[in-house]
Amino acid sequence: MHHLNKPLLLQPTKLPEHILQAIPQDWQQSLNIYSPCRDLTLHSVNASSRHPWLFQSEGEAALNLCFLLAGKMRTGFHDGGTYHVNAGSAVFMLSNQHTQGWNEFVSQQNHDFRMLNIHIPKSAIESLIGVEMSLLRQQSHSIFGHSGEQQHLDALMTCVPISLSLQSRISELLTSFQQTAPHQVIGNLYCRAKILELIALFLQENICQQTISLPVPCDRKRLMQARYLLEKEYAQDWCVADLAARVGLNEKRLQTGFKALYGKSVYAFLIHTRIQAAVILLQQGVSVTDTATMVGFSHLSHFSRVFREHIGVSPKQLV
């Protein structure tokens, strides 16, 4: 363990030899470990490999939040179930004891794999994010039900989709790891702020929507699938009836449950997702007309009006 007063961005070549030997050659140069402050550790992977990487893992009681932007993952506790994780998802784990498990990283067809994992030990959760472990566990259980609870461990693990806006922020942070590092103090401060922002946004999207009655547990997986479809296929001309049929709920339960779980109606969530995708496209240099079409708007004037309502400026002003 490196000295707590000297947080460093560690390249794989600086890792201990016995750890390096356990990492396949084509994954070694993709792994970065960063400790921007005491008790906060990041693991980033930005790989291009034709071969999967299967490995064992273990750790103390902690919060782990793993964001997968590209590729696929399989993960689980020893003697527990297997979680299949697709790109655009997060694995949320809370453990109240030492745990052992395993992970498998698999690149996409273009051999890309991008992941960011945030690790905070139990002793530092309240000081870093301002929430006690017990309260976080209680709220997590009320959202995810018994599906994430481990029968043989004092731990919870679940997989949920992440919004496009959150994916964009994660991607920015991963990209910053590849660039020339600024002065160490500034870099650590920037990284810590960004990580705390990611945690806050994740908790806001998935845990803090509890002011109204939540849908029954048996509907939540279908509602999560509905959100996943809207975020992945936002350009499609969705209606509630089509979405309800895709996820196996009737229209009323879809509309009521979606609003309760995510704080927005199906239509409002779709529009929000389209606008977030439009912001990314415009920042990448795509024209306003092409952006409108790509995110699912058939009329440019409608797109411009809705964009201004959500962002505060016109699409042209963002280009």
Side-chain angles (χ1 to χ4, degrees):
M1 181 180 293
H2 49 278
H3 197 280
L4 293 176
N5 291 329
K6 295 182 178 180
L8 298 170
L9 180 62
L10 300 178
Q11 299 299 328
T13 52
K14 295 182 181 179
L15 293 174
E17 186 63 30
H18 71 279
I19 296 180
L20 274 178
Q21 291 175 355
I23 302 176
Q25 186 67 36
D26 51 355
W27 288 89
Q28 286 185 15
Q29 298 305 317
S30 70
L31 172 65
N32 285 320
I33 303 174
Y34 188 39
S35 295
C37 67
R38 188 172 193 166
D39 291 327
L40 177 58
T41 305
L42 315 178
H43 297 82
S44 73
V45 181
N46 192 357
S48 181
S49 174
R50 295 178 180 271
H51 308 289
W53 176 19
L54 177 63
F55 60 95
Q56 305 296 311
S57 59
E58 63 178 299
E60 75 277 26
L63 179 155
N64 279 282
L65 186 53
C66 177
F67 298 109
L68 184 63
L69 298 186
K72 294 184 177 182
M73 271 181 62
R74 291 194 310 134
T75 187
F77 293 109
H78 284 174
D79 300 321
T82 298
Y83 292 81
H84 297 267
V85 187
N86 294 315
S89 302
V91 178
F92 177 72
M93 187 188 89
L94 278 175
S95 60
N96 203 34
Q97 66 173 85
H98 183 274
T99 57
Q100 294 181 319
W102 59 275
N103 300 278
E104 183 179 36
F105 296 167
V106 182
S107 298
Q108 291 179 322
Q109 291 182 350
N110 58 358
H111 312 309
D112 287 341
F113 184 94
R114 302 189 77 200
M115 183 212 77
L116 177 69
N117 185 78
I118 303 169
H119 174 89
I120 303 175
K122 176 185 175 181
S123 59
I125 289 176
E126 184 175 2
S127 63
L128 279 177
I129 64 177
V131 179
E132 293 182 359
M133 175 77 152
S134 59
L135 178 59
L136 192 58
R137 180 74 175 272
Q138 178 184 350
Q139 292 185 329
S140 300
H141 184 273
S142 68
I143 293 292
F144 304 122
H146 293 285
S147 60
E149 293 288 346
Q150 307 299 306
Q151 298 301 318
H152 62 304
L153 293 170
D154 187 4
L156 175 148
M157 179 187 287
T158 192
C159 178
V160 296
I162 50 179
S163 67
L164 287 173
S165 59
L166 187 52
Q167 290 183 52
S168 177
R169 286 174 168 84
I170 298 164
S171 183
E172 289 176 3
L173 188 58
L174 285 173
T175 300
S176 72
F177 287 156
Q178 301 173 341
Q179 299 171 348
T180 303
H183 186 276
Q184 180 168 300
V185 173
I186 298 173
N188 291 337
L189 182 61
Y190 170 85
C191 185
R192 180 181 182 182
K194 286 295 182 182
I195 289 300
L196 293 179
E197 179 188 32
L198 294 181
I199 295 173
L201 290 173
F202 176 83
L203 295 179
Q204 176 64 31
E205 290 182 3
N206 293 281
I207 294 180
C208 297
Q209 305 284 358
Q210 300 199 62
T211 57
I212 51 180
S213 178
L214 293 173
V216 296
C218 62
D219 283 354
R220 290 175 193 165
K221 285 188 176 180
R222 292 184 173 91
L223 294 169
M224 290 167 63
Q225 182 185 4
R227 171 179 165 174
Y228 178 80
L229 288 171
L230 292 177
E231 292 192 321
K232 290 299 180 183
E233 303 176 19
Y234 52 79
Q236 183 173 322
D237 188 18
W238 285 106
C239 67
V240 172
D242 290 341
L243 186 61
R246 285 282 295 274
V247 301
L249 285 174
N250 65 46
E251 293 181 39
K252 182 177 180 180
R253 286 173 69 177
L254 172 63
Q255 290 176 307
T256 302
F258 198 96
K259 179 66 178 293
L261 194 57
Y262 298 118
K264 290 184 174 67
S265 68
V266 170
Y267 178 75
F269 187 88
L270 175 61
I271 294 300
H272 174 79
T273 302
R274 286 177 171 178
I275 295 302
Q276 293 299 316
V279 169
I280 295 172
L281 290 171
L282 291 169
Q283 290 175 338
Q284 292 175 345
V286 180
S287 70
V288 174
T289 301
D290 288 345
T291 295
T293 302
M294 291 170 68
V295 301
F297 286 88
S298 54
H299 299 289
L300 184 59
S301 59
H302 182 215
F303 168 67
S304 298
R305 176 170 56 81
V306 173
F307 190 94
R308 181 183 287 275
E309 289 173 355
H310 281 73
I311 306 300
V313 298
S314 69
K316 290 183 178 180
Q317 290 175 292
L318 198 65
V319 176

